[in-house]
Amino acid sequence: MSARRPLPRWADVALLPAINLALAFLVSGLVVLLVGENPFHAIQVIIYGAFGYGDGFGYTLYYTTNFVFTGLAVAVAAHAGLFNIGGDGQAYVAGLGAVVVALALDQTHWLIAMPAAVIAAAAVGGFWAFIPGWLQAKRGSHVVITTIMFNFIAAALMVYMVNRVLKPASTMAPESATIDVAGRVPQLRQFFSFFGYSPVNLSIVIAVLALIGVYILIWHTKFGYAMRVLGANPTASRYAGISNSRMIMITMTISGALAGMVAINEVMGVQNRLVLDFVAGAGFVGIAVALMGRNHPIGIALAALLFGALYQGGQELQFVIPGITREMIVVIQALVILFTGAMEGLFRPSLERAFMLLTPEQKAEAIAVSTAKSES
Amino acid sequence: MNPQRPETAAASAPANGWAIELEKINKRFGAVHANKDIDLKVQRGTIHGIVGENGAGKSTLMSILYGFYTADSGTIRVNGTQHAITDSRHALALGIGMVHQHFMLVDNFSVLENIVLGAEDSGFIKPSLDRARKELDRLEAEYDLEVDPDAIIEDISVGQQQRVEILKALYRGAETLILDEPTGVLTPKEADDLFRVLRTLREQGKTVILITHKLREIMAITDSVSVMRQGEMVATLETAATSPEEIAELMVGRRVLLQVDKGPANPGKTLLEVQNLVVADDMGVTRVKDVSFSVRAGEIIGIAGVSGNGQSELLESISGMRDQQAGNVLLNGQPLSLEGDDGAARARAAGLAHVPEDRQRMGLVTTFSEWENAILGYQDSPEYGAGALLDIGAAKQAAANHIKLFDVRPANIGLKTSLFSGGNQQKIVLAREMERDPDVLVIGQPTRGVDIGAIEFIHKEIIKMRDEGKAILLVSVELDEIRSLADRILVMFDGVIVGEADPATATEGELGLMMAGINNKTAPRGLGIAEQGPLP
């Protein structure tokens, strides 16, 4: 009989991720040790590189912005019981919307170009996720399969669009024309010299607004309620008169629109043009971010910051300690994703048991509940 | 507390001896004293019932006997010898087998493979299977338990699966069988078959311990019965010398009305009308075949029938959860349009409330808190927030109100609904649907898995709604419930309404025949039978 009580909330949202993270760093430390470097020095470099000075912190925030968007995209879909692993493709295709609007409006002012591009990127990203949503709602094709296939379609489509449509005849590189200064999203260094040469830009404001917006959407709107009912129990949502097919399509569209915001950060804030593969895997990091952040905006903000710091600190690491190669950084990042994402529940059972030993009342409650259930 | 009856308290060993003797068993889980000084003696070769409400400690006691838990204190004697049962393997070795409420079978294995699983003789499966096949033939013949050894578990009925569980225990040499709520998943026919098997087991000298909360079963099959309440053994009685009323009173601790107290119906105009309804299930098989009937204000129509004859599909279709192939549903004379996957929203808007058959799968989102469930289905209504925003304060207010009116326990709107007992979960659903003051209430299995005290309350509420002039359509597989609540009974068999009966005059035998599809007294579809008078 495994009468178990769920963990107290603080342990679930703070202690468990902390343990996972500690373990990830422990194993990473062993890897660093194996290649003959000092793990304590390495972690010091990572932390300093990510938070220690303006440039580094700016880069951390720039990566964080991307991960907030893709993390929210995964989380919104997850609340409706959908697993959107196509954030990468949705963000990539959304670049089309962003770049077309930005190029058209770059003679005006960023206050005009940016909102218009946000809407265009959201529309295109949303559309790219709507198709898998429609396929699931009307045809029963599972979004996990279709969204991942749409990542490949997006990659092929973008190569074609960049090379055959967007590339000016005068350039050799596979990229669109450059957006004029007036049409670019301003970088924070223009206002605060603290950020040095880092690319963090006003897209981070959109990220904060998105975090707040998603919180309100999920827990304070009727739509969010319906979404959560669908995610928790699709039969109950049908009983409640909620149109499951409609919910799936709308939720996927919102999810894709959120992923599409990556294009604003990258295309209008950093690269100033559409380049191939500008998403650079942010869509997949979003899955780990959402998992680690428990699909809650606060958790996602923190998890995105962690991954942002790992990306930036990792870059720093390979400059400072030449013994640690680029591949090594990928290994460390992968370990964090592995322990906090894929093996997120590894310690849950033992932690639950530990908590029950600590507090007999909780154990009594757990047993009472499980007995009541088995007897009903 | 009630003293133990003299006939068992001071009983000396009977002729055939005690199979199981538990003495002063105590088990605490922290502050909860789940078993307090429990004494239980089960005579060999008898069927012994254990009854009690949810949480009375029946399952804990049996888990101690079966080695899942260890008692804090007390002794266990099996066949007169004291043992400290450490795990279920040990219990099996002592000849104690258990048939769980939820079967522990591998769905895509054959019957034979399931029986051998975990009891193989060697690393090679073939000799074990051959030996098991011979042994199984013998067991089937001896106990009259026919099952095809080569059938795949998922292809056979629930009743047959239960037989496999029993055979599994017998194959492992069980002398004493513990059955935990065995009829919860069975049709009445299958339950009868099970009882026949249990009687055969008794004749062959096996001992059966039956855990249940259905008094009918206790009266029908057991030789003696032990009643538990709040962790204590309040009485052990000879079944022949007791009555359902006495057991119910011992279980609940106060007098319980087993018979529903209701006045005559006062039917008004027709509120719900179903015309030539045809409905198919998820596999595309037509389950409701051209069904027509109507429900008037102030009356309860009960639909009786063996589970699986189209009642579920009928309910789901009327309430907008399932597409209909043909036919009409009229509410207050207005046709309801129920197409699309949000038909349930339109049915509700028109004044039809639905208490579903399966509250955990449909009626509740069990991972949500109580207050979130208090608005399920009505989440779009303006009193829970104007526009797109959800008015959480209003929802919590409604939830607190429901809890107060329906005496839901614990009275905690923040608690997840999965943590409420079956009866309280049902009250949460009923409160939500009844408090909206609907014209028509469609209600399926209102008291399934609900303990006696709550059943009484729920029945009273249903009668109260009827007396307020609502039209109520009741579907239940409990014939007793239909007979005591309904003003008219329609019997459904194979998707067709095969007859109509007056609950005041129809006998259980007549209804039973109709439920089996045999009816030569009334016309099929049962329309207008009531006007011709009650069944002879």
Side-chain angles (χ1 to χ4, degrees), chain A residues 72-97:
Chain A
L72 286 176
V74 174
V76 165
H79 276 289
L82 300 162
F83 192 14
N84 176 14
I85 42 180
D88 235 50
Q90 289 142 22
Y92 200 4
V93 173
L96 283 179

Side-chain angles (χ1 to χ4, degrees), chain A residues 51-373:
Chain A
F51 299 106
Y53 61 104
D55 261 308
F57 187 50
Y59 265 100
T60 298
L61 289 182
Y62 146 70
Y63 288 120
T64 302
T65 308
N66 279 345
F67 300 152
V68 164
F69 290 135
T70 53
L72 286 176
V74 174
V76 165
H79 276 289
L82 300 162
F83 192 14
N84 176 14
I85 42 180
D88 235 50
Q90 289 142 22
Y92 200 4
V93 173
L96 283 179
V99 81
V100 166
V101 170
L103 286 173
L105 297 176
D106 66 355
Q107 301 305 319
T108 58
H109 190 270
W110 66 268
L111 276 174
I112 297 169
M114 187 177 164
V118 164
I119 292 167
V124 179
F127 172 72
W128 204 248
F130 166 81
I131 306 170
W134 181 83
L135 286 170
Q136 166 142 354
K138 302 290 183 189
R139 290 273 164 273
S141 330
H142 207 287
V143 287
V144 168
I145 309 292
T146 45
T147 50
I148 205 159
M149 294 202 299
F150 267 65
N151 285 340
F152 293 100
I153 302 175
L157 173 74
M158 293 303 280
V159 169
Y160 176 85
M161 290 302 288
V162 169
N163 281 311
R164 298 296 176 88
V165 183
L166 293 170
K167 185 172 77 72
S170 53
T171 51
M172 295 293 285
E175 58 189 39
S176 73
T178 304
I179 302 165
D180 249 24
V181 180
R184 295 176 191 170
V185 173
Q187 300 192 327
L188 293 189
R189 62 183 179 192
Q190 291 169 240
F191 313 107
F192 309 101
S193 57
F194 168 76
F195 288 111
Y197 290 97
S198 66
V200 60
N201 56 71
L202 279 181
S203 306
I204 199 168
V205 177
I206 303 177
V208 172
L209 293 177
L211 286 166
I212 299 169
V214 166
Y215 174 77
I216 293 172
L217 175 78
I218 293 174
W219 283 286
H220 287 273
T221 67
K222 294 173 172 178
F223 181 83
Y225 177 86
M227 219 167 84
R228 288 186 295 125
V229 173
L230 169 65
N233 183 345
T235 318
S237 71
R238 178 110 203 233
Y239 163 79
I242 295 163
S243 170
N244 291 0
S245 57
R246 202 173 128 251
M247 291 302 301
I248 290 172
M249 292 187 285
I250 299 176
T251 305
M252 282 305 287
T253 307
I254 294 173
S255 173
L258 283 165
M261 292 301 100
V262 170
I264 301 296
N265 190 23
E266 290 289 344
V267 174
M268 290 178 76
V270 182
Q271 316 275 2
N272 303 323
R273 62 203 193 286
L274 187 69
V275 298
L276 287 178
D277 201 25
F278 68 85
V279 183
F284 293 105
V285 178
I287 297 170
V289 167
L291 258 172
M292 196 179 171
R294 295 287 143 77
N295 297 324
H296 192 289
I298 294 174
I300 287 168
L302 293 173
L305 187 65
L306 170 74
F307 279 96
L310 275 176
Y311 265 62
Q312 165 54 16
Q315 303 280 342
E316 198 86 356
L317 197 57
Q318 48 179 313
F319 286 118
V320 178
I321 308 179
I324 298 178
T325 58
R326 221 187 91 71
E327 285 68 31
M328 212 64 180
I329 310 294
V330 178
V331 167
I332 293 173
Q333 287 163 354
L335 280 170
V336 173
I337 295 181
L338 186 70
F339 280 103
T340 61
M343 305 210 297
E344 177 264 331
L346 188 64
F347 289 100
R348 189 180 290 277
S350 41
L351 205 58
E352 280 171 348
R353 237 173 278 132
F355 266 89
M356 282 200 342
L357 286 179
L358 286 174
T359 53
E361 301 81 41
Q362 296 189 344
K363 176 163 183 170
E365 194 186 322
I367 304 278
V369 166
S370 86
T371 351
K373 277 198 165 160

Side-chain angles (χ1 to χ4, degrees), chain B residues 483-499:
Chain B
R483 274 157 60 89
S484 56
L485 282 179
D487 300 311
R488 282 194 290 151
I489 300 177
L490 304 177
V491 183
M492 209 163 164
F493 174 76
D494 194 23
V496 176
I497 289 182
V498 290

Side-chain angles (χ1 to χ4, degrees), chain B residues 26-156:
Chain B
N26 273 289
K27 181 71 185 169
R28 279 175 183 278
F29 298 111
V32 179
H33 205 159
N35 281 168
K36 297 175 204 164
D37 281 336
I38 301 281
D39 289 326
L40 174 70
K41 288 180 174 180
V42 180
Q43 198 177 327
R44 189 176 304 134
T46 63
I47 300 178
H48 190 101
I50 297 184
V51 288
E53 293 201 283
N54 295 334
K58 300 171 294 200
S59 288
T60 306
L61 187 65
M62 287 305 116
S63 299
I64 289 170
L65 182 55
Y66 195 55
F68 274 141
Y69 299 140
T70 318
D72 297 339
S73 65
T75 53
I76 301 174
R77 278 197 292 278
V78 182
N79 296 323
T81 331
Q82 190 171 332
H83 292 280
I85 299 176
T86 48
D87 56 23
S88 50
R89 197 168 279 268
H90 187 187
L92 266 173
L94 295 173
I96 302 172
M98 185 146 179
V99 175
H100 295 271
Q101 193 175 4
H102 303 286
F103 304 148
M104 315 262 175
L105 297 170
V106 183
D107 278 350
N108 53 355
F109 274 23
S110 73
V111 169
L112 195 60
E113 285 167 329
N114 266 288
I115 285 171
V116 169
L117 188 68
E120 305 89 346
D121 313 318
S122 66
F124 294 101
I125 194 75
K126 184 81 169 65
S128 301
L129 285 177
D130 288 343
R131 201 179 65 82
R133 187 182 296 274
K134 282 202 199 80
E135 176 66 10
L136 195 59
D137 280 345
R138 189 186 68 76
L139 286 172
E140 289 192 15
E142 189 173 343
Y143 299 107
D144 201 10
L145 270 165
E146 271 167 52
V147 187
D148 173 9
D150 297 314
I152 304 297
I153 294 295
E154 59 196 2
D155 297 339
I156 62 180

Side-chain angles (χ1 to χ4, degrees), chain B residues 326-343:
Chain B
N328 281 312
V329 177
L330 278 74
L331 211 106
N332 257 327
Q334 298 295 315
L336 269 180
S337 90
L338 299 172
E339 291 90 54
D341 57 358
D342 53 354

Side-chain angles (χ1 to χ4, degrees), chain B residues 405-454:
Chain B
L405 287 170
F406 278 72
D407 189 28
V408 176
R409 291 178 204 186
N412 178 357
I413 58 168
L415 200 65
K416 269 190 198 173
T417 40
S418 61
L419 301 180
F420 286 88
S421 72
N424 284 301
Q425 288 180 343
Q426 187 72 329
K427 282 184 185 177
I428 292 170
V429 177
L430 280 164
R432 180 182 71 212
E433 299 302 321
M434 287 180 167
E435 282 311 299
R436 301 292 302 200
D437 200 26
D439 290 338
V440 177
L441 179 68
V442 175
I443 178 164
Q445 317 299 348
T447 56
R448 180 184 276 174
V450 169
D451 47 40
I452 295 187

